[in-house]
Amino acid sequence: MKSLLISKIVRTNRKELYDVFSKRNRIYTFLNPVSYLIALENKSLFEQFDGIFADGSLLVSAIRLVYGKRVTRCSFDMTSLAPELLNYLMESRKTLYIVASGQEQVECAVKIFQEQYPELRIAGFRNGYFSSDAEMNKEASHIVELNPDFLIVGMGALMQEKFLLKVKKMGYQGIGFTCGGFIHQTAMNRMHYYPDWVDKMNLRFVYRMYKEKHTRTRYLQAAFLFPARFIGERIFG
């Protein structure tokens, strides 16, 4: 039985990435073994996205072994999708809006982007913390009115998906991505969060557990729960 979540997985060769960057009025998110478990409990939310990227070599391997579907790892970081998007934005002169992390972190990240990508057109940015639904709705309405070409949202699993979907439902016509901890990581390490040797050895999740203590519990839970839930979804749907 084909899982709804797996049916949404986007293949990521260069042609397909160009299609993602060029087709407006679409939103995308990313799943790793941790967020996959969350998505299983929130299928009605994730099925409203236009595509899902397989974030992590473990999920890529699981999809190949259990479903026979070959996909490439695609994460919103500088080892994967982020440089492709930032270069595309700079070359095409498209605009970018950012809602993510804390205010200090997003301001720092924007400054770094402007140093590294001087032609990047940032239409606006703000932190990913809202004091009320009314404030969130006001920001979503502002984004729709501004209508930047691209929007990235990093607010943690579920909150970022809910906000991005809200913006689309309110009339946003651009292309939106969730970006997880990318803005926070950029502010910490000036673009390149993972050392080259970590990336080459596919030890990104181990490195993140080392650097970010709050990730340890959820990664360990996923190590035990993910295989059983993933196979169970294949069998029972």
Side-chain angles (χ1 to χ4, degrees):
M1 183 178 294
K2 178 63 72 70
S3 161
L4 167 67
L5 298 175
I6 299 303
S7 69
K8 291 277 185 176
I9 295 291
V10 178
R11 299 180 188 273
T12 54
N13 62 39
R14 294 195 69 84
K15 179 183 181 301
E16 285 158 337
L17 273 184
Y18 179 80
D19 288 343
V20 167
F21 293 162
S22 61
K23 293 181 179 178
R24 293 174 57 79
N25 193 28
R26 298 191 177 191
I27 56 174
Y28 301 89
T29 192
F30 299 75
L31 288 182
N32 57 37
V34 176
S35 55
Y36 187 89
L37 297 176
I38 297 172
L40 284 177
E41 307 301 325
N42 297 273
K43 290 182 184 178
S44 61
L45 171 63
F46 285 82
E47 72 180 356
Q48 297 178 73
F49 277 72
D50 296 289
I52 296 172
F53 293 97
D55 179 1
S57 54
L58 180 58
L59 181 57
V60 167
S61 297
I63 292 171
R64 184 179 71 251
L65 291 172
V66 177
Y67 288 90
K69 181 176 181 178
R70 292 189 175 274
V71 298
T72 305
R73 167 191 164 262
C74 189
S75 305
F76 205 109
D77 61 30
M78 291 305 292
T79 71
S80 187
L81 182 67
E84 297 282 353
L85 177 60
L86 292 171
N87 280 314
Y88 175 82
L89 287 170
M90 197 167 64
E91 292 168 3
S92 63
R93 305 293 293 158
K94 302 288 187 181
T95 55
L96 172 67
Y97 197 95
I98 304 169
V99 178
S101 196
Q103 190 63 27
E104 182 179 349
Q105 286 75 31
V106 71
E107 288 177 3
C108 179
V110 166
K111 187 178 295 185
I112 292 168
F113 293 151
Q114 291 173 328
E115 290 173 357
Q116 299 292 322
Y117 298 86
E119 301 301 319
L120 184 64
R121 299 174 64 197
I122 297 179
F125 60 89
R126 63 150 288 158
N127 65 74
Y129 295 95
F130 295 94
S131 61
S132 64
D133 288 342
E135 184 186 7
M136 184 180 290
N137 290 335
K138 182 178 179 181
E139 177 64 13
S141 179
H142 170 66
I143 292 169
V144 171
E145 182 178 356
L146 188 63
N147 200 34
D149 296 301
F150 286 80
L151 168 66
I152 61 173
V153 179
M155 298 165 59
L158 287 189
M159 285 300 296
Q160 59 189 10
E161 281 82 13
K162 288 178 180 178
F163 181 74
L164 190 51
L165 184 60
K166 178 190 288 287
V167 173
K168 182 179 181 182
K169 286 185 173 181
M170 290 179 70
Y172 176 58
Q173 296 298 306
I175 301 164
F177 297 93
T178 63
C179 68
F182 174 62
I183 296 300
H184 174 72
Q185 292 168 359
T186 299
M188 286 174 59
N189 290 72
R190 300 190 64 81
M191 296 299 285
H192 295 281
Y193 181 73
Y194 299 106
D196 289 342
W197 67 269
V198 169
D199 184 39
K200 289 177 182 177
M201 295 181 69
N202 284 327
L203 293 174
R204 288 172 294 273
F205 77 97
V206 176
Y207 183 77
R208 193 171 181 194
M209 287 174 66
Y210 165 71
K211 292 283 285 186
E212 302 177 48
K213 293 181 180 179
H214 69 277
T215 66
R216 294 173 186 175
T217 299
R218 69 189 193 205
Y219 276 127
L220 290 173
Q221 287 176 338
F224 292 102
L225 292 175
F226 171 71
R229 294 295 304 276
F230 191 81
I231 294 171
E233 176 74 0
R234 178 69 170 95
I235 297 171
F236 303 110

